[in-house]
């Protein structure tokens, strides 16, 4: 079976793009009760229209709304499900021992002597309300591009395990709500299926899960912490396998619904990352067992290791190589990036016993992550971001002339 194409396109980006200062400030004002939500919507729509025009100017086909309607990359999918509660809003607080202290993102927060700013747990049985929190984003994007291009619109989606991995064993739900992870996973999967069904019926054909958690299983520090945690009732390998099965239950979909997953290593304030480690530990199982068409992988620094794991890529899958950093303004050398794409293709070629030219058919190029996973964005400016996007497009045009 050949790899599905268009999407993914030869030049891709991960989803989030720098937000205007006035939009960020207005959203904080609304959160503080100093402005109304009615004041926010016109700013959001104007900002999204502008950022779509920038993507089109730079030659990107899979446009997103830049996540300008969100405060953080994961949106509000879980927060809007029945049974899920933002317990950090409770008067009197909550038990902070629920966190998995060695989870890379939690560890970074704790180092700053703080805690994750959204703490959402299952306090009742999880069920979709029938109203999609992502649908308004897609519907507005449809007004900004021709109908013939609706199928290319890319919507970034919440990781199914986002509010599971960061908590200790059986702590993603209050006592008595679920008896096991299996029960919790089943209800989350049903809700996720409902969300995808609503989006599909509205015309969405291009989804991308933004997922830091699977990449954490590449981290020596995380794995060391996992092994030392006496509360864990399964090994890290067993948990990783359970997540793949869980994700597959979540993303069952029609054959014309392209689904990709971005393995994120963290993209926080100050352009910081959360985790390191090569994909070698997880690549073979992830490539073969996870039911997605495309993997968006971070390859902008040595912290992600080499391209050797791409030898495990099946012929039915794609990889988008995140060789251009979205964290800092310094522009990469185009020829060096082109050579890196060829080097990656050679490992795919070796693994499958095919030519470099055939291997390149399964590859694309992108920045390694979004430019603004959190409200304020990374430490670079709008012009820097535009140059990065133009560079990605230029690399794609050189490697795949006529296809970008």
């Amino acid at each position: 079976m050949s790899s599905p194409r268009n999407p993914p396109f030869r030049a891709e980006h991960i989803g989030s793009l720098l937000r205007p200062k006035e939009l960020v400030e207005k959203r904080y004002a609304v959160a503080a009760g100093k402005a109304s939500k009615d004041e926010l919507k016109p700013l959001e729509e104007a900002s999204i229209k502008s950022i779509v025009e920038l993507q089109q100017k730079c030659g990107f086909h899979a446009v997103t709304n830049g996540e300008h309607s969100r405060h953080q990359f994961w949106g509000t999918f879980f927060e809007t499900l029945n049974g899920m509660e933002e317990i950090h809003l409770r008067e009197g607080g909550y038990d902070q021992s629920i966190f998995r202290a060695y989870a890379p993102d939690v560890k970074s927060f704790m180092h700053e002597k703080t805690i994750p700013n959204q703490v959402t747990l299952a306090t009742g049985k999880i069920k979709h309300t029938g109203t999609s929190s992502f649908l308004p984003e897609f519907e507005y994007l449809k007004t900004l591009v021709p109908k013939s291009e609706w199928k290319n619109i890319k919507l970034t989606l919440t990781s199914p395990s986002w509010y599971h991995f960061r908590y200790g064993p059986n702590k993603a739900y209050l006592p008595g709500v679920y008896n096991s992870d299996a029960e919790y996973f089943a209800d989350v999967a049903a809700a996720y299926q409902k969300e995808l069904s609503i989006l599909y019926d509205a015309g969405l054909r291009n989804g991308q899960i933004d997922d830091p958690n699977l990449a954490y299983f590449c981290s020596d520090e995380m794995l060391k912490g996992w092994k030392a945690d006496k509360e864990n009732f399964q090994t890290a390998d067993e948990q990783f396998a359970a997540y793949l099965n869980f994700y597959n239950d979540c993303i069952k979909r029609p054959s014309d619904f392209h689904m990709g997953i971005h393995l994120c290593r963290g993209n926080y304030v100050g352009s910081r990352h959360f985790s390191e480690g090569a994909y070698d530990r997880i690549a073979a199982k992830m490539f073969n067992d996870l039911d997605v068409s495309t993997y968006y992988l971070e390859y902008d620094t040595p912290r992600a290791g080499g391209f050797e794991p791409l030898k495990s890529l099946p012929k039915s899958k794609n990889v988008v190589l995140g060789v251009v950093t979205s964290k800092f303004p310094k522009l990469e050398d185009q020829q060096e990036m082109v050579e890196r794409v060829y080097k990656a293709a050679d490992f795919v070629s070796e693994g499958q016993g095919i030519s470099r030219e055939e291997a390149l058919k399964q590859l694309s190029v992108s920045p390694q992550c979004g430019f603004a996973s959190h409200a304020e964005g990374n430490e670079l400016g709008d012009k820097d971001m535009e140059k990065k996007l133009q560079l990605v497009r230029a690399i794609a045009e050189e490697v795949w002339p006529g296809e970008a």
Side-chain angles (χ1 to χ4, degrees):
M1 185 171 68
S2 62
S3 303
R5 267 286 154 203
N6 302 328
F9 297 92
R10 297 303 182 193
E12 289 272 345
H13 71 83
I14 301 304
S16 68
L17 299 163
L18 293 173
R19 300 168 180 85
K21 183 180 179 181
E22 58 268 30
L23 176 61
V24 175
E25 290 177 346
K26 182 64 71 174
R27 184 167 285 118
Y28 278 126
V30 171
K34 298 178 180 178
S36 71
K37 288 185 178 180
D38 291 340
E39 297 175 56
L40 183 61
K41 187 173 181 180
L43 279 177
E44 279 186 353
E45 291 188 346
S47 178
I48 292 168
K49 184 174 186 294
S50 177
I51 209 66
V52 166
E53 290 171 352
L54 174 66
Q55 293 168 76
Q56 293 169 329
K57 172 186 171 184
C58 292
F60 284 80
H61 302 294
V63 299
T64 74
N65 74 348
E67 299 180 0
H68 286 197
S69 57
R70 309 180 192 179
H71 179 71
Q72 303 273 20
F73 72 92
W74 61 86
T76 58
F77 168 69
F78 277 107
E79 285 75 8
T80 55
L81 298 179
N82 287 333
M84 296 296 283
E85 181 185 345
E86 297 175 78
I87 64 170
H88 59 283
L89 301 178
R90 284 184 172 183
E91 187 174 345
Y94 60 93
D95 180 6
Q96 295 181 16
S97 69
I98 61 174
F99 292 108
R100 201 183 287 278
Y102 49 89
D105 56 330
V106 173
K107 187 176 180 180
S108 293
F109 283 121
M110 297 300 188
H111 181 72
E112 298 293 327
K113 297 183 172 59
T114 184
I115 55 172
N117 58 2
Q118 268 182 288
V119 186
T120 302
L121 298 178
T123 59
K125 295 292 186 183
I126 295 168
K127 188 175 182 180
H128 201 286
T129 64
T131 300
S132 165
S133 64
F134 289 127
L135 184 60
E137 295 184 9
F138 181 58
E139 292 292 356
Y140 183 59
L141 278 169
K142 284 162 63 176
T143 71
L144 302 178
V145 301
K147 189 173 183 178
S148 60
E149 296 177 15
W150 288 359
K151 66 182 185 300
N152 299 337
I153 292 172
K154 180 160 70 173
L155 205 60
T156 53
L157 304 168
T158 316
S159 164
S161 66
W162 182 239
Y163 285 126
H164 182 269
F165 179 85
R166 61 166 53 180
Y167 306 123
N170 298 320
K171 293 177 182 176
Y173 36 88
L174 294 187
V177 175
Y178 291 108
N179 293 316
S180 67
D181 278 356
E183 291 183 6
Y184 170 85
F185 288 165
D187 279 358
V188 172
Y192 215 97
Q193 284 271 293
K194 178 65 175 176
E195 182 72 20
L196 293 185
S197 176
I198 292 170
L199 295 171
Y200 182 84
D201 288 345
L204 183 70
R205 297 295 183 271
N206 188 12
Q208 175 195 299
I209 298 168
D210 280 335
D211 192 278
N213 292 340
L214 295 186
Y216 292 165
F217 287 86
C218 301
S219 165
D220 288 336
E221 284 298 310
M222 193 289 288
L223 294 171
K224 181 180 177 182
W226 187 284
K227 191 172 183 179
D229 186 350
K230 302 303 181 185
E231 290 189 355
N232 282 322
F233 53 84
Q234 54 191 347
T235 66
D237 287 344
E238 289 169 340
Q239 181 66 77
F240 185 78
Y243 276 154
L244 297 187
N245 291 331
F246 168 41
Y247 285 28
N248 286 342
D249 287 340
C250 289
I251 58 177
K252 292 175 182 175
R253 63 201 184 278
S255 60
D256 63 342
F257 192 163
H258 170 263
M259 186 64 68
I261 187 167
H262 169 230
L263 268 69
C264 178
R265 295 171 183 275
N267 203 32
Y268 195 54
V269 176
S271 293
R272 285 179 292 174
H273 66 278
F274 289 142
S275 68
E276 300 182 358
Y279 296 110
D280 302 62
R281 282 195 180 94
I282 66 172
K285 190 163 187 63
M286 179 182 69
F287 287 152
N288 288 282
D289 294 354
L290 184 59
D291 184 23
V292 298
S293 296
T294 303
Y295 302 86
Y296 300 79
L297 303 182
E298 300 196 355
Y299 273 117
D300 61 324
T301 71
R303 69 172 174 268
F307 294 125
E308 288 83 356
L310 298 181
K311 289 189 287 187
S312 298
L313 185 70
K315 291 183 179 180
S316 59
K317 302 289 186 81
N318 310 293
V319 162
V320 179
L321 301 164
V323 295
V324 173
T325 189
S326 66
K327 292 184 181 296
F328 305 107
K330 184 180 178 181
L331 206 59
E332 290 82 355
D333 179 85
Q334 181 176 328
Q335 201 53 46
E336 287 181 8
M337 297 303 102
V338 167
E339 291 303 319
R340 294 198 73 204
V341 172
Y342 289 146
K343 185 175 182 180
D346 288 341
F347 282 108
V348 177
S349 168
E350 180 183 345
Q352 296 182 19
I354 58 177
S355 67
R356 173 191 279 186
E357 290 69 27
E358 286 296 308
L360 283 169
K361 293 179 180 179
Q362 294 177 244
L363 301 179
S364 300
V365 67
S366 75
Q368 108 288 348
C369 196
F371 289 88
S373 301
H374 54 89
E376 290 79 4
N378 290 342
E379 294 196 332
L380 72 175
D382 291 334
K383 288 296 182 183
D384 300 318
M385 178 178 72
E386 184 173 346
K387 289 177 182 177
K388 294 277 184 174
L389 294 174
Q390 290 170 338
L391 175 60
V392 168
R393 173 74 185 188
I395 296 166
E397 288 175 343
E398 182 171 347
V399 176
W400 300 277
E403 296 183 39

